[in-house]
Amino acid sequence: MNLHQFRFVQEAVRRNLNLTETAKALYTSQPGISKAIIELEEELGLEIFERHGKRLRRVTEPGQLVLRAVEIIMREVANLQRIGEEYSKQEAGTLSIATTHTQARYFLPEPVAALRRKYPRVQVVLHQGTPRQVAQMLRDDVAEIGLATEALAEVDDLVTLPCYEWQHVIVVPAQHALAAVERPTLEQLAAEPLVSYHPTFTGRSRIDQAFARARLKPTFALEAIDADVIKTYVRVGMGVGIVAELAMRDDPPGGDLVARPVGHLFGSNVTRVAFKRGAYLRQFVLTFVESLSDRLTGSLIQRAMSGNPVHYDL
Amino acid sequence: MNLHQFRFVQEAVRRNLNLTETAKALYTSQPGISKAIIELEEELGLEIFERHGKRLRRVTEPGQLVLRAVEIIMREVANLQRIGEEYSKQEAGTLSIATTHTQARYFLPEPVAALRRKYPRVQVVLHQGTPRQVAQMLRDDVAEIGLATEALAEVDDLVTLPCYEWQHVIVVPAQHALAAVERPTLEQLAAEPLVSYHPTFTGRSRIDQAFARARLKPTFALEAIDADVIKTYVRVGMGVGIVAELAMRDDPPGGDLVARPVGHLFGSNVTRVAFKRGAYLRQFVLTFVESLSDRLTGSLIQRAMSGNPVHYDL
DNA sequence: TATCCTTACGGAATTCGTAAGCATG
DNA sequence: CATGCTTACGAATTCCGTAAGGATA
């Protein structure tokens, strides 16, 4: 039994049981992978993978149990490396953050800058993707912490904590009829072509739910993952934009676009920070996570990490 | 980084940082241990052990963190082996039980026999010791499950579940004056020489507490770890025995010894079963643990293992 | 001086690559 | 026949033992 075998098995599962791809991903030879896995199976006296001829078809029942143990082992190996980083290169290291465009563009700049001010030798890597991809990047150890409004809370092996609460705003050109309406209604919006996020992004689910409850079928003229794109199309008259309020923060009140809060229509959303259950958080990571919300304290984070559910109001 | 290094570090800590002993315990050469640990420290870029000249003095602060990760990794490696056992040799394997004399002699025979009836190919190994030793045997992976009335519940990295509740009885020769007394008092007992368990065993702490509260200073003529020994000395007139009621179960009512329950004096005790947090319990182990109490069910045990506190009345 | 950790070194075992073989879809 | 896992084999590396060196209590 050795750590290589564990890594191979884990990566093989992540690569859909394709050992050739696994070998490429781990920069080693394919026969080496094959042999190592077979030897582990022999040592344990069970088959981790069900084989059909010479192809791996699926994970066996005992294989599932093996996999769970392997996940924990590899997690702790990663933790050991982080502990090493923390204590050898004091206050230096790399923080990989997986997040959506909205957070990367509008929310994270400030806390990331603060992190760099406090720890100038820390390097930050941003990985952008859909909320589901964010979750997957955490599971695959591509990123250490994740930030998104959707999806994260549903993933079982992630620990999530609420960061901040926000609502949607509609955005229209200053001369648009709705620019003068203080509290637009769902009916008014449904009558216009809309420009908003892709269905899996940034609270879009709340928007769809609200329209569905009112039995309205709005027209989406354009869907994007990105408020900057949405605003651009609103400017050229494609329709009424619906974006996160955060995305309008930097637009001056007297500018060419007018924003109206529509929390009364779509409710409020909670953006969450997540990390893999059991991950070791270095000091600067802890500091960073704390900086994401006034209510997040180190002890609260530790409590959440240890598996206890954490409840508090934002 | 490899599993050998982890094992060495773990064993070194268990052997009080004596690498020579560690090497002996692991049947390998002492320089090999030394080198492996140094290489791990180099790879992590930190010192796990503080050295004074050429001796290891103590575990450093980062070393504590490393140790915690190593413990988890080795635990999961042990789990992998158990999973292998479970699925390769179906319904066969070894179950190591750490327990005290009282349990081994009076409580366990029945459930152990039942286990062997259901799983004839399972081998049972009993490790006897003090309650503290029982706890230590679980921590050191000498035994997989432990059974004792004392100490177990206080150990942090063990999961414990109540098994059964019992009270003490006094034991006297049939012709003894107290043999006729239905409900003896603390004062009556304190006036006699007593024969009971060693202070750390089998509910003895309750006995001491009761006397202390009544400001009585009883005389213990003899202390043993073992009700059979105690009964023997009661027979030869050394004094009044105080043992677990279980220990008198097989003595016939009309025999040479008379037992009187004294739960009204010393309260009741709870015997607990324990295992290492995060251990993988094979099917036959689960069955065995369930058989220890009517109230223990598989799902309850799983819940306790997953870290959730379990509360129920016996 | 007895104990105990580190360094040095060499033979043995393991590792890991390439090349070839063979099963599936 | 293209993809993909397993087997074969040999060079390079790592492992792990004994022997020697140096530090502490």
Side-chain angles (χ1 to χ4, degrees), chain B residues 190-222:
Chain B
E192 303 275 344
L194 300 179
V195 182
S196 190
Y197 300 105
H198 274 169
T200 57
F201 273 82
T202 320
R204 165 70 189 266
S205 55
R206 293 295 177 90
I207 297 174
D208 290 344
Q209 280 162 26
F211 281 120
R213 261 198 303 277
R215 306 211 180 287
L216 293 170
K217 292 214 192 310
T219 311
F220 283 91
L222 188 122

mmCIF file of all heavy atoms in Angstrom, chain B residues 190-222:
data_model
loop_
_atom_site.group_PDB
_atom_site.id
_atom_site.type_symbol
_atom_site.label_atom_id
_atom_site.label_comp_id
_atom_site.label_asym_id
_atom_site.label_seq_id
_atom_site.Cartn_x
_atom_site.Cartn_y
_atom_site.Cartn_z
ATOM 1 N N ALA B 190 -18.877 0.724 56.680
ATOM 2 C CA ALA B 190 -17.617 1.368 57.056
ATOM 3 C C ALA B 190 -17.032 0.739 58.308
ATOM 4 O O ALA B 190 -15.827 0.825 58.561
ATOM 5 C CB ALA B 190 -17.836 2.866 57.264
ATOM 6 N N ALA B 191 -17.892 0.098 59.107
ATOM 7 C CA ALA B 191 -17.424 -0.530 60.344
ATOM 8 C C ALA B 191 -16.719 -1.861 60.081
ATOM 9 O O ALA B 191 -16.036 -2.400 60.951
ATOM 10 C CB ALA B 191 -18.605 -0.752 61.287
ATOM 11 N N GLU B 192 -16.892 -2.396 58.864
ATOM 12 C CA GLU B 192 -16.300 -3.700 58.530
ATOM 13 C C GLU B 192 -15.043 -3.513 57.679
ATOM 14 O O GLU B 192 -14.922 -2.531 56.945
ATOM 15 C CB GLU B 192 -17.321 -4.512 57.698
ATOM 16 C CG GLU B 192 -18.654 -4.730 58.373
ATOM 17 C CD GLU B 192 -18.632 -5.942 59.297
ATOM 18 O OE1 GLU B 192 -17.693 -6.762 59.173
ATOM 19 O OE2 GLU B 192 -19.547 -6.054 60.136
ATOM 20 N N PRO B 193 -14.122 -4.466 57.729
ATOM 21 C CA PRO B 193 -13.060 -4.456 56.722
ATOM 22 C C PRO B 193 -13.677 -4.806 55.364
ATOM 23 O O PRO B 193 -14.514 -5.708 55.286
ATOM 24 C CB PRO B 193 -12.099 -5.549 57.209
ATOM 25 C CG PRO B 193 -12.903 -6.415 58.099
ATOM 26 C CD PRO B 193 -13.995 -5.577 58.686
ATOM 27 N N LEU B 194 -13.271 -4.064 54.330
ATOM 28 C CA LEU B 194 -13.883 -4.256 53.011
ATOM 29 C C LEU B 194 -12.906 -4.940 52.054
ATOM 30 O O LEU B 194 -11.685 -4.812 52.183
ATOM 31 C CB LEU B 194 -14.313 -2.913 52.425
ATOM 32 C CG LEU B 194 -15.351 -2.138 53.263
ATOM 33 C CD1 LEU B 194 -15.680 -0.805 52.581
ATOM 34 C CD2 LEU B 194 -16.611 -2.971 53.475
ATOM 35 N N VAL B 195 -13.472 -5.653 51.099
ATOM 36 C CA VAL B 195 -12.694 -6.289 50.047
ATOM 37 C C VAL B 195 -13.346 -5.895 48.725
ATOM 38 O O VAL B 195 -14.506 -6.245 48.483
ATOM 39 C CB VAL B 195 -12.696 -7.828 50.196
ATOM 40 C CG1 VAL B 195 -11.827 -8.463 49.119
ATOM 41 C CG2 VAL B 195 -12.247 -8.243 51.590
ATOM 42 N N SER B 196 -12.618 -5.104 47.911
ATOM 43 C CA SER B 196 -13.245 -4.666 46.657
ATOM 44 C C SER B 196 -12.213 -4.444 45.557
ATOM 45 O O SER B 196 -11.065 -4.892 45.669
ATOM 46 C CB SER B 196 -14.074 -3.408 46.891
ATOM 47 O OG SER B 196 -14.859 -3.121 45.752
ATOM 48 N N TYR B 197 -12.628 -3.727 44.528
ATOM 49 C CA TYR B 197 -11.774 -3.518 43.354
ATOM 50 C C TYR B 197 -10.684 -2.484 43.622
ATOM 51 O O TYR B 197 -10.803 -1.656 44.514
ATOM 52 C CB TYR B 197 -12.616 -3.040 42.172
ATOM 53 C CG TYR B 197 -13.687 -4.010 41.763
ATOM 54 C CD1 TYR B 197 -15.024 -3.771 42.073
ATOM 55 C CD2 TYR B 197 -13.368 -5.163 41.059
ATOM 56 C CE1 TYR B 197 -16.018 -4.652 41.690
ATOM 57 C CE2 TYR B 197 -14.361 -6.058 40.673
ATOM 58 C CZ TYR B 197 -15.680 -5.802 40.990
ATOM 59 O OH TYR B 197 -16.652 -6.676 40.621
ATOM 60 N N HIS B 198 -9.663 -2.528 42.812
ATOM 61 C CA HIS B 198 -8.665 -1.460 42.780
ATOM 62 C C HIS B 198 -9.351 -0.135 42.481
ATOM 63 O O HIS B 198 -10.386 -0.116 41.821
ATOM 64 C CB HIS B 198 -7.632 -1.728 41.673
ATOM 65 C CG HIS B 198 -6.510 -2.609 42.121
ATOM 66 N ND1 HIS B 198 -5.609 -3.135 41.227
ATOM 67 C CD2 HIS B 198 -6.134 -3.051 43.331
ATOM 68 C CE1 HIS B 198 -4.735 -3.880 41.886
ATOM 69 N NE2 HIS B 198 -5.031 -3.847 43.165
ATOM 70 N N PRO B 199 -8.785 0.958 42.944
ATOM 71 C CA PRO B 199 -9.468 2.254 42.816
ATOM 72 C C PRO B 199 -9.862 2.653 41.399
ATOM 73 O O PRO B 199 -10.784 3.438 41.220
ATOM 74 C CB PRO B 199 -8.441 3.234 43.397
ATOM 75 C CG PRO B 199 -7.687 2.427 44.385
ATOM 76 C CD PRO B 199 -7.595 1.054 43.778
ATOM 77 N N THR B 200 -9.186 2.156 40.387
ATOM 78 C CA THR B 200 -9.537 2.611 39.039
ATOM 79 C C THR B 200 -10.494 1.665 38.332
ATOM 80 O O THR B 200 -10.779 1.839 37.158
ATOM 81 C CB THR B 200 -8.272 2.747 38.176
ATOM 82 O OG1 THR B 200 -7.601 1.474 38.149
ATOM 83 C CG2 THR B 200 -7.336 3.811 38.724
ATOM 84 N N PHE B 201 -11.014 0.664 39.059
ATOM 85 C CA PHE B 201 -11.771 -0.375 38.369
ATOM 86 C C PHE B 201 -13.262 -0.390 38.684
ATOM 87 O O PHE B 201 -13.687 -0.090 39.811
ATOM 88 C CB PHE B 201 -11.217 -1.750 38.760
ATOM 89 C CG PHE B 201 -10.072 -2.189 37.892
ATOM 90 C CD1 PHE B 201 -8.786 -1.743 38.142
ATOM 91 C CD2 PHE B 201 -10.299 -3.032 36.819
ATOM 92 C CE1 PHE B 201 -7.736 -2.152 37.350
ATOM 93 C CE2 PHE B 201 -9.243 -3.446 36.027
ATOM 94 C CZ PHE B 201 -7.957 -3.006 36.288
ATOM 95 N N THR B 202 -14.014 -0.785 37.702
ATOM 96 C CA THR B 202 -15.357 -1.317 37.855
ATOM 97 C C THR B 202 -16.212 -0.574 38.888
ATOM 98 O O THR B 202 -16.728 -1.155 39.843
ATOM 99 C CB THR B 202 -15.285 -2.811 38.266
ATOM 100 O OG1 THR B 202 -14.243 -3.441 37.527
ATOM 101 C CG2 THR B 202 -16.582 -3.521 37.965
ATOM 102 N N GLY B 203 -16.318 0.726 38.700
ATOM 103 C CA GLY B 203 -17.218 1.480 39.554
ATOM 104 C C GLY B 203 -16.700 1.749 40.949
ATOM 105 O O GLY B 203 -17.417 2.266 41.798
ATOM 106 N N ARG B 204 -15.445 1.419 41.220
ATOM 107 C CA ARG B 204 -14.880 1.696 42.532
ATOM 108 C C ARG B 204 -14.965 3.180 42.867
ATOM 109 O O ARG B 204 -15.138 3.561 44.032
ATOM 110 C CB ARG B 204 -13.408 1.230 42.552
ATOM 111 C CG ARG B 204 -12.560 1.754 43.701
ATOM 112 C CD ARG B 204 -12.938 1.157 45.050
ATOM 113 N NE ARG B 204 -12.249 1.855 46.113
ATOM 114 C CZ ARG B 204 -11.091 1.475 46.644
ATOM 115 N NH1 ARG B 204 -10.511 0.363 46.243
ATOM 116 N NH2 ARG B 204 -10.513 2.194 47.589
ATOM 117 N N SER B 205 -14.847 4.041 41.830
ATOM 118 C CA SER B 205 -14.894 5.480 42.090
ATOM 119 C C SER B 205 -16.216 5.859 42.758
ATOM 120 O O SER B 205 -16.254 6.708 43.646
ATOM 121 C CB SER B 205 -14.708 6.254 40.787
ATOM 122 O OG SER B 205 -15.663 5.843 39.828
ATOM 123 N N ARG B 206 -17.307 5.209 42.356
ATOM 124 C CA ARG B 206 -18.600 5.495 42.974
ATOM 125 C C ARG B 206 -18.606 5.129 44.456
ATOM 126 O O ARG B 206 -19.207 5.801 45.282
ATOM 127 C CB ARG B 206 -19.707 4.681 42.283
ATOM 128 C CG ARG B 206 -19.961 5.090 40.859
ATOM 129 C CD ARG B 206 -20.493 6.514 40.830
ATOM 130 N NE ARG B 206 -20.684 6.954 39.460
ATOM 131 C CZ ARG B 206 -21.806 6.791 38.792
ATOM 132 N NH1 ARG B 206 -22.835 6.222 39.391
ATOM 133 N NH2 ARG B 206 -21.919 7.195 37.555
ATOM 134 N N ILE B 207 -17.948 4.042 44.756
ATOM 135 C CA ILE B 207 -17.883 3.587 46.143
ATOM 136 C C ILE B 207 -17.155 4.624 46.991
ATOM 137 O O ILE B 207 -17.640 5.063 48.043
ATOM 138 C CB ILE B 207 -17.166 2.224 46.213
ATOM 139 C CG1 ILE B 207 -17.974 1.173 45.430
ATOM 140 C CG2 ILE B 207 -16.956 1.794 47.668
ATOM 141 C CD1 ILE B 207 -17.295 -0.177 45.316
ATOM 142 N N ASP B 208 -15.996 5.057 46.493
ATOM 143 C CA ASP B 208 -15.212 6.038 47.239
ATOM 144 C C ASP B 208 -15.983 7.335 47.424
ATOM 145 O O ASP B 208 -15.972 7.945 48.492
ATOM 146 C CB ASP B 208 -13.889 6.301 46.511
ATOM 147 C CG ASP B 208 -12.966 5.084 46.594
ATOM 148 O OD1 ASP B 208 -13.229 4.200 47.439
ATOM 149 O OD2 ASP B 208 -11.991 5.025 45.823
ATOM 150 N N GLN B 209 -16.656 7.762 46.333
ATOM 151 C CA GLN B 209 -17.431 8.999 46.423
ATOM 152 C C GLN B 209 -18.506 8.911 47.510
ATOM 153 O O GLN B 209 -18.683 9.842 48.300
ATOM 154 C CB GLN B 209 -18.105 9.306 45.079
ATOM 155 C CG GLN B 209 -17.183 9.941 44.044
ATOM 156 C CD GLN B 209 -17.758 9.823 42.642
ATOM 157 O OE1 GLN B 209 -18.976 9.722 42.469
ATOM 158 N NE2 GLN B 209 -16.882 9.836 41.647
ATOM 159 N N ALA B 210 -19.204 7.801 47.535
ATOM 160 C CA ALA B 210 -20.302 7.655 48.499
ATOM 161 C C ALA B 210 -19.793 7.746 49.938
ATOM 162 O O ALA B 210 -20.353 8.464 50.765
ATOM 163 C CB ALA B 210 -21.021 6.326 48.267
ATOM 164 N N PHE B 211 -18.693 7.045 50.211
ATOM 165 C CA PHE B 211 -18.129 7.104 51.568
ATOM 166 C C PHE B 211 -17.642 8.512 51.887
ATOM 167 O O PHE B 211 -17.839 9.019 52.990
ATOM 168 C CB PHE B 211 -16.987 6.098 51.712
ATOM 169 C CG PHE B 211 -17.471 4.683 51.927
ATOM 170 C CD1 PHE B 211 -17.146 3.671 51.030
ATOM 171 C CD2 PHE B 211 -18.252 4.358 53.036
ATOM 172 C CE1 PHE B 211 -17.590 2.376 51.222
ATOM 173 C CE2 PHE B 211 -18.695 3.056 53.247
ATOM 174 C CZ PHE B 211 -18.371 2.057 52.337
ATOM 175 N N ALA B 212 -16.999 9.156 50.903
ATOM 176 C CA ALA B 212 -16.460 10.487 51.148
ATOM 177 C C ALA B 212 -17.589 11.465 51.471
ATOM 178 O O ALA B 212 -17.469 12.289 52.378
ATOM 179 C CB ALA B 212 -15.656 10.954 49.929
ATOM 180 N N ARG B 213 -18.675 11.373 50.712
ATOM 181 C CA ARG B 213 -19.801 12.278 50.958
ATOM 182 C C ARG B 213 -20.343 12.103 52.374
ATOM 183 O O ARG B 213 -20.760 13.058 53.010
ATOM 184 C CB ARG B 213 -20.921 12.015 49.948
ATOM 185 C CG ARG B 213 -20.933 12.978 48.780
ATOM 186 C CD ARG B 213 -22.291 12.957 48.079
ATOM 187 N NE ARG B 213 -22.653 11.618 47.635
ATOM 188 C CZ ARG B 213 -22.218 11.081 46.497
ATOM 189 N NH1 ARG B 213 -21.398 11.761 45.707
ATOM 190 N NH2 ARG B 213 -22.586 9.865 46.162
ATOM 191 N N ALA B 214 -20.353 10.862 52.856
ATOM 192 C CA ALA B 214 -20.858 10.597 54.209
ATOM 193 C C ALA B 214 -19.770 10.818 55.262
ATOM 194 O O ALA B 214 -19.978 10.535 56.435
ATOM 195 C CB ALA B 214 -21.384 9.166 54.290
ATOM 196 N N ARG B 215 -18.637 11.341 54.840
ATOM 197 C CA ARG B 215 -17.489 11.587 55.732
ATOM 198 C C ARG B 215 -17.095 10.319 56.503
ATOM 199 O O ARG B 215 -16.794 10.362 57.691
ATOM 200 C CB ARG B 215 -17.793 12.705 56.724
ATOM 201 C CG ARG B 215 -18.260 13.992 56.070
ATOM 202 C CD ARG B 215 -17.867 15.232 56.854
ATOM 203 N NE ARG B 215 -18.336 16.445 56.197
ATOM 204 C CZ ARG B 215 -17.806 16.954 55.095
ATOM 205 N NH1 ARG B 215 -16.780 16.360 54.502
ATOM 206 N NH2 ARG B 215 -18.281 18.048 54.548
ATOM 207 N N LEU B 216 -17.129 9.197 55.805
ATOM 208 C CA LEU B 216 -16.725 7.931 56.409
ATOM 209 C C LEU B 216 -15.409 7.495 55.793
ATOM 210 O O LEU B 216 -15.141 7.757 54.619
ATOM 211 C CB LEU B 216 -17.802 6.862 56.164
ATOM 212 C CG LEU B 216 -19.131 7.107 56.880
ATOM 213 C CD1 LEU B 216 -20.194 6.141 56.392
ATOM 214 C CD2 LEU B 216 -18.948 6.983 58.394
ATOM 215 N N LYS B 217 -14.570 6.869 56.593
ATOM 216 C CA LYS B 217 -13.286 6.382 56.089
ATOM 217 C C LYS B 217 -13.238 4.865 56.243
ATOM 218 O O LYS B 217 -12.768 4.353 57.263
ATOM 219 C CB LYS B 217 -12.127 7.022 56.870
ATOM 220 C CG LYS B 217 -11.960 8.510 56.622
ATOM 221 C CD LYS B 217 -10.492 8.902 56.684
ATOM 222 C CE LYS B 217 -10.287 10.421 56.729
ATOM 223 N NZ LYS B 217 -11.028 11.138 55.682
ATOM 224 N N PRO B 218 -13.730 4.157 55.257
ATOM 225 C CA PRO B 218 -13.754 2.697 55.372
ATOM 226 C C PRO B 218 -12.349 2.120 55.261
ATOM 227 O O PRO B 218 -11.445 2.762 54.738
ATOM 228 C CB PRO B 218 -14.604 2.273 54.176
ATOM 229 C CG PRO B 218 -14.365 3.351 53.176
ATOM 230 C CD PRO B 218 -14.178 4.625 53.957
ATOM 231 N N THR B 219 -12.183 0.919 55.762
ATOM 232 C CA THR B 219 -10.906 0.215 55.637
ATOM 233 C C THR B 219 -11.022 -0.835 54.545
ATOM 234 O O THR B 219 -11.918 -1.692 54.593
ATOM 235 C CB THR B 219 -10.571 -0.509 56.953
ATOM 236 O OG1 THR B 219 -10.740 0.401 58.029
ATOM 237 C CG2 THR B 219 -9.142 -1.044 56.921
ATOM 238 N N PHE B 220 -10.122 -0.745 53.592
ATOM 239 C CA PHE B 220 -10.102 -1.783 52.571
ATOM 240 C C PHE B 220 -9.043 -2.812 52.939
ATOM 241 O O PHE B 220 -7.847 -2.521 52.899
ATOM 242 C CB PHE B 220 -9.825 -1.176 51.195
ATOM 243 C CG PHE B 220 -11.032 -0.492 50.622
ATOM 244 C CD1 PHE B 220 -11.251 0.863 50.850
ATOM 245 C CD2 PHE B 220 -11.970 -1.203 49.884
ATOM 246 C CE1 PHE B 220 -12.368 1.498 50.332
ATOM 247 C CE2 PHE B 220 -13.091 -0.568 49.366
ATOM 248 C CZ PHE B 220 -13.293 0.779 49.591
ATOM 249 N N ALA B 221 -9.491 -3.976 53.316
ATOM 250 C CA ALA B 221 -8.563 -5.036 53.702
ATOM 251 C C ALA B 221 -7.816 -5.568 52.492
ATOM 252 O O ALA B 221 -6.665 -5.978 52.583
ATOM 253 C CB ALA B 221 -9.315 -6.172 54.389
ATOM 254 N N LEU B 222 -8.501 -5.505 51.339
ATOM 255 C CA LEU B 222 -7.862 -6.024 50.136
ATOM 256 C C LEU B 222 -8.498 -5.378 48.906
ATOM 257 O O LEU B 222 -9.712 -5.166 48.856
ATOM 258 C CB LEU B 222 -8.049 -7.543 50.059
ATOM 259 C CG LEU B 222 -7.266 -8.246 48.960
ATOM 260 C CD1 LEU B 222 -6.356 -9.299 49.558
ATOM 261 C CD2 LEU B 222 -8.187 -8.854 47.921
#
